[in-house]
Amino acid sequence: GQGEGAGGVVEAQHVLRGVEPAKVKGLPLHERDRCLRALRTAGFSIRAIERLTGIGRYHIDKVTSTM
């Protein structure tokens, strides 16, 4: 699926308009949550987002389930 393998980071960075997925964790909360929603909307799974960003599944689910 989406976000798997070597293309995952590149695709994610494209969705995030150049922001490295690994840097998302350090962003201000509202900006971080916007990035998580953008990745979910682009079709990335919660597991893939967790792997790419280092942000826990619980938080990703909480943020993206209210979309």
Side-chain angles (χ1 to χ4, degrees), residues 24-34:
V24 171
K25 197 172 186 175
L27 294 172
L29 204 60
H30 70 280
E31 185 66 14
R32 184 174 84 180
D33 291 352
R34 187 193 61 74

Side-chain angles (χ1 to χ4, degrees), residues 8-28 31-36 38-39 44 52-53 55:
V9 175
V10 175
E11 174 69 17
Q13 200 160 340
H14 177 72
V15 170
L16 299 175
R17 302 189 193 112
V19 177
E20 288 176 50
K23 299 246 170 84
V24 171
K25 197 172 186 175
L27 294 172
E31 185 66 14
R32 184 174 84 180
D33 291 352
R34 187 193 61 74
C35 288
L36 295 176
L39 290 168
F44 283 83
L52 288 163
T53 64
I55 296 168

Side-chain angles (χ1 to χ4, degrees), residues 33 37 40 59-67:
D33 291 352
R37 289 192 193 100
R40 268 316 258 149
H59 183 77
I60 297 165
D61 187 45
K62 195 173 72 165
V63 169
T64 58
S65 66
T66 56
M67 290 175 12

